[in-house]
Amino acid sequence: MAVTEEIRPNADALLHAAPPRRPANLGQILRWTLLFLGGIAMVMPIAYMISTSLKWPHEVYNLQLIPDEPHLENYTYVLEDGRFYGWFINSIVIAVVTTVSNVLFDSLVGYTLCKFRFPGRYIVFIAILSTLMIPTEMLVIPWYLMSQQLGWLDTYWGIMFPGLMTAFGTFLMKQFFETVPDDFIEAARIDGLNELQIWWTVAMPLVKPALAALAIFVFLGNWTAFIWPLIVTNSVEMYTLPVGLSSFGDEADVAWELIMTGAAISTIPTLVVFLIFQRYIIQGVVMAGLKG
Amino acid sequence: MADLSIRDLVKRYDKTQVLHGISLDVEDGEFVVFVGPSGCGKSTTLRMIAGLEEITSGEVSIAGRLVNNLEPKERDIAMVFQNYAIYPHMTVRKNIGFGLRTAKMPRADKERRIDEVAVILGMTDLLDRKPSQLSGGQRQRVAIGRAMVRDPAVFLFDEPLSNLDAQLRTQMRLEIKKLHQRVGNTIIFVTHDQVEAMTMADRIVIMKDGHIQQVGTPSEVYHSPANTFVARFIGAPSMNMLPGVVEDGGKIWLDSGTEVTLNTAAKPGQAVVLGVRPEDLYPGDGPALVRGPVLVREPLGAETLIYVGREGDEVIAKADGRTPPEVGEEVTLTAALENLHVFDAETGEALR
């Protein structure tokens, strides 16, 4: 009993004492400062985009973040402009089709290069990878000539075909399929599935995080693509959102407040896509079916 | 008719030959365990039976049908992998039923079959769980269930217990053995653990460097090892090997200076190795096979292992668990003559 009584005051003191505070060191201060500045650099363009979309034309070149007279007239104008919906639909169709196409075909090629042993496999992979080193600007003219010969100028196909499959996506998926143990594939083979069924039923669900990452990359890339859609489209009806928004204004003046309003609206689908797929990325590759 | 027949099976990867023409017949309902050290070719053999590895030459027949050129799904086999390979994105029910996807049977029959297997494996309550919610033993059971549901001619197990802890391994060993007694299918089981092989097998196939060293019942390979490799591989602790030379009249003069008279096929002058298992070697009266101080004692409860002789050249014997000799005490180890094995020192082949 005596021992318990002696110990209790000390235990109470420990339980109720505030956790010891460690003094922040210089490295920590530097890290936080850098992160803060990085955060500001990321947030400011978005803040200015929203701010400008709420300004009157005469305020646009005034750099203050909070408009003197914030209003939603620009949103009303842009949403009532019939062209905007057309561009929005164009961008949605192109981004969705290219995303689905990349998710399917990049993973199919990546899976094949990863899980099948055939002569020339390595050469094919290197050939695909080497196309990553060619800048888009160099490819634009051949793409244009191809589109012209195929009659795809000013069509969805013309805008989409260069991005229906990407070397980056193939590389990404191949690397992720490397993490899928062959046991899964072989078990499915013994269970009687054909190779296409194995890819779709077994391998694809195991690389969902990679598919989500790829979907986000491809969707954003195509949603914001500017140069190629600008070149391949002629009619205003076939413009995508970025191309259409850049056409706001005339030779004398650029209507930044309308462009920023359109840009603000156009971020909504990207946010939706990110919110849908980000949980798969956070989950990481789940390998719970293997030894634990 | 043999359920599984392997004839002159050869596997070569470029210039490296990993299987050197092995042959084996497995009877219907038999539990055969392939055992051997890493790289001996046991898993390769299993994968060739499954159709997951190409056969360089030789023949594999299942239920009298040559399967060399058949796809794995056409071979009427099911396989349980070392890593379980149950699909993490599917529930236990879907995992078990996965093997029936391609089977042409009504949905109700498939469900009934899954439920039957779940009952046998005691997994009825777990059917709606995902693998991440299961323990290692339960995952292994799901993997077995997925194989069982197809009721194949031959079950193939590729080191399925290696990833389990010692206690669970013992439990699963027993469960698989009971399962075999219940369903009666042919099982080919690969392991590197000789205890698993001894406890589960009807027959053991001991392999080394792509060759079969011996095929026999657990008792046969333990009591009549075909060579020094089998003698050392089967049994823990390993069999003691005492070098010697054969003299006239079947006498063997051991390097330790002891003479033993045995009825062997060895010729006079031939260098031999006398093998004796630790449990057959004990302190006592009789021909002194080994004399020396006790270097180390390992108490196991019922008995105590003692290491006797010179450092680096010691032999292992089993002493009484209650009154074992002290460390440093000089002991004389002896054995009954019928428990001694004689091997050719050069080839390692058994001579008695």
Short mmCIF file of all heavy atoms in Angstrom, two decimals, chain A residues 181-195 197-198 200-206 208 286-292, chain B residues 47 50 52 71-73 77-79 81-90 95 98-102 131-132 139 146 150 163:
data_model
loop_
_atom_site.label_atom_id
_atom_site.label_comp_id
_atom_site.label_asym_id
_atom_site.label_seq_id
_atom_site.Cartn_x
_atom_site.Cartn_y
_atom_site.Cartn_z
N PRO A 181 2.06 -9.76 -58.88
CA PRO A 181 2.77 -11.04 -58.90
C PRO A 181 2.22 -11.98 -59.98
O PRO A 181 1.01 -12.01 -60.21
CB PRO A 181 2.51 -11.60 -57.51
CG PRO A 181 2.11 -10.45 -56.68
CD PRO A 181 1.41 -9.50 -57.59
N ASP A 182 3.14 -12.72 -60.59
CA ASP A 182 2.74 -13.65 -61.65
C ASP A 182 1.79 -14.73 -61.12
O ASP A 182 1.03 -15.31 -61.89
CB ASP A 182 3.98 -14.31 -62.27
CG ASP A 182 4.74 -13.32 -63.14
OD1 ASP A 182 4.17 -12.26 -63.47
OD2 ASP A 182 5.91 -13.58 -63.45
N ASP A 183 1.85 -14.99 -59.82
CA ASP A 183 0.98 -16.02 -59.23
C ASP A 183 -0.49 -15.74 -59.54
O ASP A 183 -1.26 -16.67 -59.80
CB ASP A 183 1.17 -16.09 -57.72
CG ASP A 183 2.41 -16.86 -57.34
OD1 ASP A 183 3.10 -17.34 -58.26
OD2 ASP A 183 2.70 -16.99 -56.14
N PHE A 184 -0.89 -14.46 -59.48
CA PHE A 184 -2.29 -14.10 -59.77
C PHE A 184 -2.66 -14.49 -61.20
O PHE A 184 -3.72 -15.05 -61.45
CB PHE A 184 -2.50 -12.58 -59.63
CG PHE A 184 -2.60 -12.11 -58.21
CD1 PHE A 184 -1.86 -11.04 -57.77
CD2 PHE A 184 -3.47 -12.71 -57.33
CE1 PHE A 184 -1.96 -10.58 -56.47
CE2 PHE A 184 -3.58 -12.28 -56.02
CZ PHE A 184 -2.82 -11.21 -55.59
N ILE A 185 -1.74 -14.18 -62.10
CA ILE A 185 -1.98 -14.43 -63.52
C ILE A 185 -2.06 -15.94 -63.75
O ILE A 185 -2.95 -16.44 -64.45
CB ILE A 185 -0.84 -13.83 -64.39
CG1 ILE A 185 -0.49 -12.41 -63.94
CG2 ILE A 185 -1.12 -13.93 -65.87
CD1 ILE A 185 -1.52 -11.38 -64.20
N GLU A 186 -1.11 -16.66 -63.14
CA GLU A 186 -1.06 -18.11 -63.35
C GLU A 186 -2.26 -18.80 -62.71
O GLU A 186 -2.80 -19.76 -63.26
CB GLU A 186 0.25 -18.66 -62.79
CG GLU A 186 1.44 -18.21 -63.63
CD GLU A 186 2.77 -18.64 -63.07
OE1 GLU A 186 2.83 -19.02 -61.89
OE2 GLU A 186 3.76 -18.56 -63.82
N ALA A 187 -2.68 -18.29 -61.54
CA ALA A 187 -3.85 -18.87 -60.89
C ALA A 187 -5.08 -18.71 -61.79
O ALA A 187 -5.87 -19.64 -61.95
CB ALA A 187 -4.10 -18.18 -59.55
N ALA A 188 -5.20 -17.54 -62.41
CA ALA A 188 -6.34 -17.30 -63.30
C ALA A 188 -6.25 -18.18 -64.54
O ALA A 188 -7.26 -18.67 -65.05
CB ALA A 188 -6.37 -15.83 -63.70
N ARG A 189 -5.01 -18.39 -65.00
CA ARG A 189 -4.81 -19.25 -66.18
C ARG A 189 -5.28 -20.67 -65.86
O ARG A 189 -5.94 -21.30 -66.67
CB ARG A 189 -3.31 -19.25 -66.50
CG ARG A 189 -2.99 -19.16 -67.97
CD ARG A 189 -1.55 -18.80 -68.18
NE ARG A 189 -1.38 -17.38 -68.45
CZ ARG A 189 -0.25 -16.72 -68.34
NH1 ARG A 189 0.83 -17.34 -67.93
NH2 ARG A 189 -0.19 -15.44 -68.61
N ILE A 190 -4.93 -21.15 -64.67
CA ILE A 190 -5.35 -22.49 -64.26
C ILE A 190 -6.87 -22.53 -64.07
O ILE A 190 -7.52 -23.52 -64.36
CB ILE A 190 -4.61 -22.93 -62.98
CG1 ILE A 190 -3.15 -23.24 -63.34
CG2 ILE A 190 -5.26 -24.14 -62.33
CD1 ILE A 190 -2.27 -23.55 -62.18
N ASP A 191 -7.42 -21.40 -63.59
CA ASP A 191 -8.88 -21.34 -63.37
C ASP A 191 -9.66 -21.27 -64.68
O ASP A 191 -10.89 -21.22 -64.66
CB ASP A 191 -9.23 -20.13 -62.50
CG ASP A 191 -8.95 -20.41 -61.03
OD1 ASP A 191 -8.93 -21.59 -60.65
OD2 ASP A 191 -8.75 -19.45 -60.27
N GLY A 192 -8.94 -21.20 -65.79
CA GLY A 192 -9.62 -21.35 -67.08
C GLY A 192 -9.91 -20.07 -67.82
O GLY A 192 -10.66 -20.09 -68.80
N LEU A 193 -9.35 -18.95 -67.39
CA LEU A 193 -9.60 -17.71 -68.11
C LEU A 193 -8.64 -17.57 -69.29
O LEU A 193 -7.50 -18.04 -69.21
CB LEU A 193 -9.40 -16.51 -67.16
CG LEU A 193 -10.64 -16.03 -66.42
CD1 LEU A 193 -11.11 -17.11 -65.46
CD2 LEU A 193 -10.36 -14.75 -65.66
N ASN A 194 -9.13 -16.93 -70.36
CA ASN A 194 -8.19 -16.66 -71.45
C ASN A 194 -7.42 -15.38 -71.14
O ASN A 194 -7.72 -14.68 -70.16
CB ASN A 194 -8.91 -16.60 -72.80
CG ASN A 194 -9.90 -15.44 -72.87
OD1 ASN A 194 -9.64 -14.35 -72.37
ND2 ASN A 194 -11.05 -15.69 -73.48
N GLU A 195 -6.43 -15.08 -71.95
CA GLU A 195 -5.50 -14.00 -71.60
C GLU A 195 -6.19 -12.64 -71.49
O GLU A 195 -5.85 -11.82 -70.64
CB GLU A 195 -4.34 -13.93 -72.60
CG GLU A 195 -3.50 -15.19 -72.66
CD GLU A 195 -2.87 -15.56 -71.31
OE1 GLU A 195 -2.54 -14.65 -70.53
OE2 GLU A 195 -2.75 -16.77 -71.02
N GLN A 197 -9.33 -12.14 -70.69
CA GLN A 197 -10.13 -12.15 -69.45
C GLN A 197 -9.23 -11.94 -68.24
O GLN A 197 -9.61 -11.26 -67.28
CB GLN A 197 -10.85 -13.50 -69.31
CG GLN A 197 -12.03 -13.67 -70.25
CD GLN A 197 -12.58 -15.08 -70.19
OE1 GLN A 197 -11.83 -16.06 -70.12
NE2 GLN A 197 -13.90 -15.20 -70.23
N ILE A 198 -8.04 -12.52 -68.26
CA ILE A 198 -7.11 -12.36 -67.13
C ILE A 198 -6.73 -10.89 -66.97
O ILE A 198 -6.74 -10.33 -65.88
CB ILE A 198 -5.85 -13.24 -67.31
CG1 ILE A 198 -6.22 -14.72 -67.28
CG2 ILE A 198 -4.81 -12.93 -66.24
CD1 ILE A 198 -5.09 -15.66 -67.65
N TRP A 200 -8.40 -8.27 -67.95
CA TRP A 200 -9.52 -7.43 -67.56
C TRP A 200 -10.02 -7.75 -66.14
O TRP A 200 -10.28 -6.86 -65.34
CB TRP A 200 -10.66 -7.59 -68.57
CG TRP A 200 -11.85 -6.74 -68.28
CD1 TRP A 200 -13.07 -7.17 -67.84
CD2 TRP A 200 -11.95 -5.32 -68.37
NE1 TRP A 200 -13.91 -6.10 -67.66
CE2 TRP A 200 -13.25 -4.94 -67.98
CE3 TRP A 200 -11.04 -4.32 -68.74
CZ2 TRP A 200 -13.68 -3.63 -67.95
CZ3 TRP A 200 -11.48 -3.00 -68.71
CH2 TRP A 200 -12.76 -2.66 -68.31
N THR A 201 -10.12 -9.06 -65.82
CA THR A 201 -10.74 -9.46 -64.56
C THR A 201 -9.77 -9.47 -63.39
O THR A 201 -10.15 -9.20 -62.26
CB THR A 201 -11.33 -10.89 -64.68
OG1 THR A 201 -11.85 -11.05 -65.98
CG2 THR A 201 -12.41 -11.15 -63.67
N VAL A 202 -8.52 -9.84 -63.67
CA VAL A 202 -7.58 -10.01 -62.57
C VAL A 202 -6.56 -8.86 -62.50
O VAL A 202 -6.40 -8.22 -61.46
CB VAL A 202 -6.85 -11.37 -62.70
CG1 VAL A 202 -5.78 -11.52 -61.64
CG2 VAL A 202 -7.85 -12.50 -62.61
N ALA A 203 -5.90 -8.61 -63.62
CA ALA A 203 -4.79 -7.64 -63.57
C ALA A 203 -5.27 -6.20 -63.42
O ALA A 203 -4.74 -5.45 -62.60
CB ALA A 203 -3.93 -7.79 -64.83
N MET A 204 -6.29 -5.82 -64.19
CA MET A 204 -6.74 -4.42 -64.15
C MET A 204 -7.21 -3.97 -62.76
O MET A 204 -6.81 -2.90 -62.30
CB MET A 204 -7.83 -4.18 -65.19
CG MET A 204 -7.32 -4.16 -66.61
SD MET A 204 -6.39 -2.67 -66.98
CE MET A 204 -7.68 -1.64 -67.67
N PRO A 205 -8.04 -4.76 -62.06
CA PRO A 205 -8.45 -4.30 -60.73
C PRO A 205 -7.28 -4.14 -59.76
O PRO A 205 -7.36 -3.39 -58.81
CB PRO A 205 -9.39 -5.41 -60.25
CG PRO A 205 -9.87 -6.08 -61.47
CD PRO A 205 -8.73 -6.02 -62.44
N LEU A 206 -6.19 -4.86 -60.02
CA LEU A 206 -5.04 -4.78 -59.11
C LEU A 206 -4.20 -3.53 -59.33
O LEU A 206 -3.34 -3.22 -58.52
CB LEU A 206 -4.16 -6.03 -59.25
CG LEU A 206 -4.81 -7.34 -58.81
CD1 LEU A 206 -3.90 -8.52 -59.11
CD2 LEU A 206 -5.12 -7.31 -57.33
N LYS A 208 -5.63 -0.47 -60.04
CA LYS A 208 -6.56 0.65 -60.03
C LYS A 208 -5.88 1.99 -59.71
O LYS A 208 -6.19 3.00 -60.33
CB LYS A 208 -7.69 0.39 -59.03
CG LYS A 208 -8.91 -0.24 -59.66
CD LYS A 208 -10.01 -0.31 -58.62
CE LYS A 208 -11.15 -1.18 -59.08
NZ LYS A 208 -12.05 -1.49 -57.98
N VAL A 286 -3.22 -2.39 -53.58
CA VAL A 286 -3.64 -3.31 -52.52
C VAL A 286 -3.22 -4.72 -52.92
O VAL A 286 -3.61 -5.22 -53.96
CB VAL A 286 -5.17 -3.25 -52.34
CG1 VAL A 286 -5.61 -4.21 -51.24
CG2 VAL A 286 -5.59 -1.83 -52.00
N MET A 287 -2.41 -5.31 -52.08
CA MET A 287 -1.94 -6.66 -52.39
C MET A 287 -2.35 -7.62 -51.27
O MET A 287 -1.60 -8.48 -50.85
CB MET A 287 -0.42 -6.65 -52.55
CG MET A 287 0.02 -6.02 -53.84
SD MET A 287 -0.57 -6.95 -55.26
CE MET A 287 -0.32 -5.76 -56.55
N ALA A 288 -3.56 -7.37 -50.78
CA ALA A 288 -3.98 -8.14 -49.61
C ALA A 288 -4.18 -9.62 -49.92
O ALA A 288 -4.23 -10.44 -49.03
CB ALA A 288 -5.27 -7.57 -49.06
N GLY A 289 -4.27 -9.96 -51.19
CA GLY A 289 -4.47 -11.37 -51.54
C GLY A 289 -3.21 -12.17 -51.43
O GLY A 289 -3.24 -13.39 -51.52
N LEU A 290 -2.10 -11.47 -51.23
CA LEU A 290 -0.84 -12.19 -51.09
C LEU A 290 -0.54 -12.37 -49.61
O LEU A 290 -1.25 -11.89 -48.76
CB LEU A 290 0.28 -11.41 -51.77
CG LEU A 290 0.18 -11.39 -53.28
CD1 LEU A 290 1.30 -10.59 -53.85
CD2 LEU A 290 0.23 -12.79 -53.84
N LYS A 291 0.57 -13.05 -49.36
CA LYS A 291 0.95 -13.30 -47.97
C LYS A 291 0.96 -11.99 -47.21
O LYS A 291 1.39 -10.97 -47.71
CB LYS A 291 2.32 -13.96 -47.92
CG LYS A 291 3.41 -13.13 -48.57
CD LYS A 291 4.71 -13.85 -48.53
CE LYS A 291 5.74 -13.12 -49.38
NZ LYS A 291 7.03 -13.74 -49.34
N GLY A 292 0.51 -12.02 -45.96
CA GLY A 292 0.39 -10.77 -45.26
C GLY A 292 1.23 -10.64 -44.05
O GLY A 292 1.33 -11.22 -43.16
N ARG B 47 5.23 -27.09 -61.87
CA ARG B 47 4.74 -26.11 -62.84
C ARG B 47 4.63 -26.74 -64.23
O ARG B 47 3.79 -26.34 -65.04
CB ARG B 47 5.66 -24.88 -62.86
CG ARG B 47 5.56 -24.08 -61.55
CD ARG B 47 6.63 -22.99 -61.48
NE ARG B 47 6.54 -22.08 -62.59
CZ ARG B 47 5.67 -21.08 -62.70
NH1 ARG B 47 4.82 -20.87 -61.72
NH2 ARG B 47 5.64 -20.30 -63.75
N ALA B 50 1.49 -28.57 -64.21
CA ALA B 50 0.36 -27.63 -64.29
C ALA B 50 0.22 -27.01 -65.67
O ALA B 50 -0.84 -26.48 -66.01
CB ALA B 50 0.55 -26.53 -63.25
N LEU B 52 2.33 -24.55 -66.61
CA LEU B 52 2.80 -23.17 -66.49
C LEU B 52 4.24 -23.03 -67.00
O LEU B 52 4.74 -21.92 -67.15
CB LEU B 52 2.73 -22.71 -65.03
CG LEU B 52 1.32 -22.67 -64.43
CD1 LEU B 52 1.36 -22.38 -62.94
CD2 LEU B 52 0.46 -21.64 -65.14
N GLU B 71 -3.43 -26.59 -72.59
CA GLU B 71 -3.39 -25.40 -71.72
C GLU B 71 -3.65 -25.84 -70.28
O GLU B 71 -4.31 -26.87 -70.05
CB GLU B 71 -4.49 -24.42 -72.14
CG GLU B 71 -4.29 -23.76 -73.49
CD GLU B 71 -3.11 -22.81 -73.47
OE1 GLU B 71 -2.98 -22.04 -72.50
OE2 GLU B 71 -2.31 -22.85 -74.43
N PRO B 72 -3.20 -25.05 -69.29
CA PRO B 72 -3.44 -25.42 -67.88
C PRO B 72 -4.91 -25.72 -67.60
O PRO B 72 -5.24 -26.66 -66.90
CB PRO B 72 -2.99 -24.18 -67.11
CG PRO B 72 -1.99 -23.53 -67.99
CD PRO B 72 -2.40 -23.81 -69.39
N LYS B 73 -5.80 -24.92 -68.19
CA LYS B 73 -7.22 -25.09 -67.88
C LYS B 73 -7.79 -26.39 -68.45
O LYS B 73 -8.84 -26.85 -68.01
CB LYS B 73 -8.01 -23.89 -68.41
CG LYS B 73 -7.94 -23.71 -69.91
CD LYS B 73 -8.67 -22.48 -70.36
CE LYS B 73 -8.44 -22.23 -71.84
NZ LYS B 73 -8.94 -20.97 -72.30
N ILE B 77 -6.59 -29.91 -63.52
CA ILE B 77 -5.79 -29.76 -62.30
C ILE B 77 -6.23 -28.47 -61.60
O ILE B 77 -6.88 -27.62 -62.19
CB ILE B 77 -4.28 -29.65 -62.63
CG1 ILE B 77 -4.07 -28.60 -63.76
CG2 ILE B 77 -3.68 -30.96 -63.04
CD1 ILE B 77 -3.15 -27.54 -63.43
N ALA B 78 -5.87 -28.35 -60.34
CA ALA B 78 -6.04 -27.09 -59.63
C ALA B 78 -4.79 -26.88 -58.80
O ALA B 78 -4.14 -27.86 -58.40
CB ALA B 78 -7.26 -27.13 -58.74
N MET B 79 -4.43 -25.64 -58.60
CA MET B 79 -3.15 -25.38 -57.94
C MET B 79 -3.31 -24.38 -56.80
O MET B 79 -4.04 -23.41 -56.92
CB MET B 79 -2.16 -24.83 -58.99
CG MET B 79 -0.75 -24.70 -58.49
SD MET B 79 0.39 -24.71 -59.91
CE MET B 79 1.87 -24.14 -59.16
N PHE B 81 -1.03 -21.82 -54.58
CA PHE B 81 0.29 -21.18 -54.68
C PHE B 81 0.85 -20.83 -53.30
O PHE B 81 0.11 -20.68 -52.33
CB PHE B 81 0.19 -19.91 -55.51
CG PHE B 81 -0.10 -20.16 -56.96
CD1 PHE B 81 -1.40 -20.39 -57.40
CD2 PHE B 81 0.92 -20.20 -57.89
CE1 PHE B 81 -1.67 -20.63 -58.72
CE2 PHE B 81 0.66 -20.44 -59.22
CZ PHE B 81 -0.64 -20.66 -59.64
N GLN B 82 2.17 -20.66 -53.30
CA GLN B 82 2.86 -20.30 -52.05
C GLN B 82 2.32 -18.98 -51.48
O GLN B 82 2.14 -18.83 -50.28
CB GLN B 82 4.36 -20.18 -52.32
CG GLN B 82 5.17 -19.87 -51.08
CD GLN B 82 6.65 -19.81 -51.35
OE1 GLN B 82 7.13 -20.07 -52.45
NE2 GLN B 82 7.40 -19.44 -50.34
N ASN B 83 2.07 -18.03 -52.38
CA ASN B 83 1.59 -16.71 -51.94
C ASN B 83 0.07 -16.63 -51.91
O ASN B 83 -0.48 -15.54 -51.94
CB ASN B 83 2.13 -15.62 -52.86
CG ASN B 83 3.61 -15.44 -52.69
OD1 ASN B 83 4.15 -15.75 -51.64
ND2 ASN B 83 4.27 -14.97 -53.72
N TYR B 84 -0.59 -17.76 -51.94
CA TYR B 84 -2.06 -17.90 -51.93
C TYR B 84 -2.68 -17.47 -53.26
O TYR B 84 -3.52 -18.16 -53.79
CB TYR B 84 -2.75 -17.12 -50.81
CG TYR B 84 -2.05 -17.10 -49.48
CD1 TYR B 84 -2.15 -16.02 -48.62
CD2 TYR B 84 -1.29 -18.19 -49.06
CE1 TYR B 84 -1.51 -16.01 -47.38
CE2 TYR B 84 -0.65 -18.18 -47.83
CZ TYR B 84 -0.77 -17.09 -47.01
OH TYR B 84 -0.13 -17.08 -45.81
N ALA B 85 -2.25 -16.26 -53.75
CA ALA B 85 -2.79 -15.75 -55.02
C ALA B 85 -4.30 -15.71 -55.03
O ALA B 85 -4.94 -16.06 -56.01
CB ALA B 85 -2.26 -16.57 -56.20
N ILE B 86 -4.89 -15.30 -53.92
CA ILE B 86 -6.34 -15.05 -53.95
C ILE B 86 -6.53 -13.58 -54.29
O ILE B 86 -5.74 -12.74 -53.88
CB ILE B 86 -7.05 -15.45 -52.63
CG1 ILE B 86 -6.38 -14.81 -51.42
CG2 ILE B 86 -7.09 -16.95 -52.49
CD1 ILE B 86 -7.15 -15.02 -50.14
N TYR B 87 -7.57 -13.30 -55.04
CA TYR B 87 -7.72 -11.97 -55.62
C TYR B 87 -8.21 -10.98 -54.56
O TYR B 87 -9.29 -11.16 -53.99
CB TYR B 87 -8.67 -12.02 -56.81
CG TYR B 87 -8.29 -13.10 -57.78
CD1 TYR B 87 -9.15 -14.15 -58.08
CD2 TYR B 87 -7.04 -13.11 -58.37
CE1 TYR B 87 -8.78 -15.16 -58.94
CE2 TYR B 87 -6.65 -14.13 -59.24
CZ TYR B 87 -7.53 -15.14 -59.51
OH TYR B 87 -7.16 -16.15 -60.35
N PRO B 88 -7.43 -9.93 -54.29
CA PRO B 88 -7.76 -9.02 -53.19
C PRO B 88 -9.03 -8.21 -53.43
O PRO B 88 -9.63 -7.72 -52.49
CB PRO B 88 -6.55 -8.10 -53.10
CG PRO B 88 -5.84 -8.23 -54.38
CD PRO B 88 -6.16 -9.57 -54.93
N HIS B 89 -9.42 -8.06 -54.71
CA HIS B 89 -10.59 -7.23 -55.00
C HIS B 89 -11.88 -8.04 -54.99
O HIS B 89 -12.95 -7.50 -55.28
CB HIS B 89 -10.41 -6.53 -56.34
CG HIS B 89 -10.10 -7.47 -57.47
ND1 HIS B 89 -8.91 -8.15 -57.58
CD2 HIS B 89 -10.84 -7.86 -58.53
CE1 HIS B 89 -8.92 -8.89 -58.66
NE2 HIS B 89 -10.08 -8.74 -59.26
N MET B 90 -11.80 -9.33 -54.70
CA MET B 90 -13.01 -10.16 -54.69
C MET B 90 -13.27 -10.70 -53.28
O MET B 90 -12.34 -10.91 -52.52
CB MET B 90 -12.83 -11.37 -55.62
CG MET B 90 -12.68 -11.00 -57.08
SD MET B 90 -12.46 -12.49 -58.04
CE MET B 90 -11.90 -11.79 -59.58
N ASN B 95 -13.89 -15.45 -54.79
CA ASN B 95 -12.61 -16.12 -54.96
C ASN B 95 -12.79 -17.62 -55.11
O ASN B 95 -12.21 -18.24 -56.00
CB ASN B 95 -11.70 -15.82 -53.76
CG ASN B 95 -10.73 -14.71 -54.05
OD1 ASN B 95 -9.82 -14.85 -54.87
ND2 ASN B 95 -10.92 -13.57 -53.40
N PHE B 98 -14.37 -18.53 -58.34
CA PHE B 98 -13.70 -18.04 -59.55
C PHE B 98 -13.39 -19.17 -60.53
O PHE B 98 -13.52 -19.01 -61.74
CB PHE B 98 -12.42 -17.31 -59.16
CG PHE B 98 -11.89 -16.43 -60.25
CD1 PHE B 98 -12.49 -15.21 -60.50
CD2 PHE B 98 -10.81 -16.81 -61.02
CE1 PHE B 98 -12.03 -14.39 -61.51
CE2 PHE B 98 -10.34 -16.00 -62.02
CZ PHE B 98 -10.95 -14.78 -62.27
N GLY B 99 -13.01 -20.31 -59.97
CA GLY B 99 -12.66 -21.44 -60.82
C GLY B 99 -13.86 -22.02 -61.56
O GLY B 99 -13.68 -22.80 -62.49
N LEU B 100 -15.06 -21.64 -61.14
CA LEU B 100 -16.26 -22.16 -61.80
C LEU B 100 -16.78 -21.22 -62.88
O LEU B 100 -17.77 -21.50 -63.54
CB LEU B 100 -17.37 -22.39 -60.77
CG LEU B 100 -17.08 -23.43 -59.68
CD1 LEU B 100 -18.21 -23.46 -58.68
CD2 LEU B 100 -16.89 -24.80 -60.31
N ARG B 101 -16.13 -20.05 -63.01
CA ARG B 101 -16.60 -19.05 -63.98
C ARG B 101 -16.78 -19.65 -65.36
O ARG B 101 -17.75 -19.39 -66.05
CB ARG B 101 -15.56 -17.92 -64.09
CG ARG B 101 -15.72 -16.83 -63.09
CD ARG B 101 -14.57 -15.87 -63.23
NE ARG B 101 -14.61 -15.21 -64.52
CZ ARG B 101 -14.98 -13.95 -64.71
NH1 ARG B 101 -15.32 -13.23 -63.68
NH2 ARG B 101 -14.98 -13.41 -65.89
N THR B 102 -15.77 -20.45 -65.74
CA THR B 102 -15.81 -20.99 -67.09
C THR B 102 -16.51 -22.33 -67.16
O THR B 102 -16.70 -22.87 -68.24
CB THR B 102 -14.38 -21.14 -67.65
OG1 THR B 102 -13.61 -21.81 -66.66
CG2 THR B 102 -13.77 -19.79 -67.94
N PRO B 131 -10.22 -10.57 -48.81
CA PRO B 131 -8.99 -11.19 -48.29
C PRO B 131 -8.26 -10.35 -47.25
O PRO B 131 -7.66 -10.88 -46.33
CB PRO B 131 -8.13 -11.36 -49.54
CG PRO B 131 -9.11 -11.51 -50.64
CD PRO B 131 -10.26 -10.62 -50.28
N SER B 132 -8.35 -9.01 -47.38
CA SER B 132 -7.63 -8.16 -46.43
C SER B 132 -8.19 -8.29 -45.02
O SER B 132 -7.55 -7.91 -44.05
CB SER B 132 -7.70 -6.70 -46.87
OG SER B 132 -9.05 -6.30 -46.99
N ARG B 139 -6.71 -17.11 -45.37
CA ARG B 139 -6.41 -16.85 -46.79
C ARG B 139 -5.97 -18.14 -47.47
O ARG B 139 -6.34 -18.43 -48.60
CB ARG B 139 -5.30 -15.81 -46.92
CG ARG B 139 -5.77 -14.43 -46.56
CD ARG B 139 -4.64 -13.44 -46.70
NE ARG B 139 -4.92 -12.26 -45.91
CZ ARG B 139 -4.14 -11.21 -45.82
NH1 ARG B 139 -3.01 -11.18 -46.47
NH2 ARG B 139 -4.47 -10.19 -45.08
N ARG B 146 -10.63 -22.55 -53.45
CA ARG B 146 -10.72 -22.24 -54.88
C ARG B 146 -10.27 -23.43 -55.72
O ARG B 146 -10.77 -23.67 -56.82
CB ARG B 146 -9.86 -21.01 -55.19
CG ARG B 146 -10.17 -20.41 -56.52
CD ARG B 146 -9.42 -19.14 -56.73
NE ARG B 146 -8.00 -19.35 -56.77
CZ ARG B 146 -7.09 -18.38 -56.69
NH1 ARG B 146 -7.46 -17.15 -56.52
NH2 ARG B 146 -5.81 -18.65 -56.76
N ARG B 150 -13.39 -26.96 -57.92
CA ARG B 150 -13.41 -27.48 -59.29
C ARG B 150 -13.34 -29.00 -59.34
O ARG B 150 -13.43 -29.58 -60.41
CB ARG B 150 -12.26 -26.87 -60.09
CG ARG B 150 -12.43 -25.36 -60.26
CD ARG B 150 -11.22 -24.74 -60.89
NE ARG B 150 -10.85 -25.43 -62.11
CZ ARG B 150 -9.62 -25.48 -62.58
NH1 ARG B 150 -8.65 -24.91 -61.93
NH2 ARG B 150 -9.37 -26.11 -63.70
N ASN B 163 4.55 -19.58 -45.85
CA ASN B 163 4.39 -18.23 -45.32
C ASN B 163 3.66 -18.17 -43.99
O ASN B 163 3.38 -17.10 -43.49
CB ASN B 163 3.64 -17.36 -46.34
CG ASN B 163 4.46 -17.12 -47.57
OD1 ASN B 163 5.68 -17.05 -47.48
ND2 ASN B 163 3.82 -17.02 -48.71
#
